[in-house]
Amino acid sequence: KHFGPQEFGGSEAWTKVGACTGTVGPTASPTFDPNTPGCPPPYDETLAYDENDKVSIDNVAYQCTQSAYCIVFGPTDAGGILGWKSLGPCFGSLAPTASPTFDADTPGCPEDYVAGTPYAGGDRVAVDNVIYQCKKPHEAHCPNRVPGAQGDDDDAWIRLGVCTGTIAPTPSPTVDLDAPGCPEEYDPDTEYSSLDKALVDGIVYMCRPNAYSAFCNAGPAYAPGGSNSDLGWMKQGGCRGTIAPTSSP
């Protein structure tokens, strides 16, 4: 059953607005503006945008103004205004560019990410031909969080871009005769202080100075090479042999 505005039951479906006279004037016929620009590529939340990059969402073009925020927020997100500005409506797509060419400057890929590896801030890895860099000060999460799995909300890894092949090999390693001698192996029962050094798997670690030294004795997770190692220990590098003995007192 359908109810007209004045029929019994019509008040359930219709609201009286008021009196009127004549008719509503017709709107103008829509016109096409040939100067409306073509739309840039659609926004892709998996990409890391730089300043001046342009994207589109629902026939509106946006331009990145602050790359640090463009990585975190999309143009229409609540925080999008921090990194994006609206360029206005767009139509269709941008004119095609010339045929793509191979970019000889595309970087080679670093080593693939391996869960459990003690990555430090600034370390780079590859996942599916995408480069990620471990962030400071959240580097403690890098060993156990797969890059890209958290999307733009990842506080441990930042997406740097695509890569191809592998990084050019470095020269064969040489023995550094000036490398320092190795300190004693890390002992969980030893009470370490600021600037104390310990050896784990051939790597020298030094206990951070000042208040951070408290983390050096905070338990297995904070031991050198542990999941929270960087809070109390600084990786110093390799060593050779043992530390030379001091002279007799």
Side-chain angles (χ1 to χ4, degrees):
K1 172 66 177 176
H2 298 284
F3 298 103
Q6 294 181 327
E7 293 181 1
F8 176 77
S11 61
E12 297 295 326
W14 297 88
T15 299
K16 185 176 182 179
V17 177
C20 61
T21 180
T23 59
V24 176
T27 58
S29 299
T31 58
F32 170 71
D33 182 0
N35 295 319
T36 300
C39 292
Y43 171 72
D44 185 344
E45 63 180 9
T46 66
L47 299 181
Y49 292 101
D50 293 322
E51 292 180 11
N52 299 320
D53 284 350
K54 296 178 181 179
V55 299
S56 64
I57 297 179
D58 296 333
N59 290 103
V60 177
Y62 298 88
Q63 181 173 325
C64 176
T65 58
Q66 295 286 339
S67 59
Y69 291 109
C70 295
I71 294 173
V72 179
F73 300 108
T76 57
D77 290 344
I81 193 173
L82 298 174
W84 298 90
K85 70 175 181 180
S86 173
L87 299 179
C90 59
F91 179 79
S93 59
L94 294 174
T97 58
S99 300
T101 58
F102 173 72
D103 183 2
D105 295 327
T106 299
C109 294
E111 294 185 2
D112 288 339
Y113 172 79
V114 178
T117 301
Y119 296 109
D123 286 351
R124 296 183 178 184
V125 298
V127 176
D128 296 332
N129 291 101
V130 177
I131 304 174
Y132 295 88
Q133 181 170 303
C134 181
K135 294 182 185 177
K136 290 183 178 181
H138 304 292
E139 52 195 2
H141 299 297
C142 293
N144 301 304
R145 184 175 296 174
V146 179
Q150 304 292 321
D152 290 337
D153 296 327
D154 196 340
D155 60 358
W157 296 94
I158 183 171
R159 186 181 190 278
L160 297 181
V162 297
C163 59
T164 181
T166 57
I167 295 176
T170 57
S172 300
T174 57
V175 176
D176 182 4
L177 298 179
D178 295 324
C182 298
E184 295 184 359
E185 291 280 348
Y186 172 76
D187 183 355
D189 296 324
T190 297
E191 189 75 13
Y192 290 97
S193 303
S194 296
L195 306 183
D196 283 349
K197 294 183 179 181
L199 182 69
V200 174
D201 296 333
I203 301 298
V204 180
Y205 294 83
M206 183 171 68
C207 182
R208 293 183 183 273
N210 304 322
Y212 290 101
S213 63
F215 288 106
C216 297
N217 306 292
Y222 298 88
S227 58
N228 295 316
S229 170
D230 293 315
L231 293 175
W233 295 90
M234 294 184 291
K235 187 186 295 185
Q236 300 291 290
C239 61
R240 179 173 178 269
T242 57
I243 295 177
T246 59
S247 57
S248 302

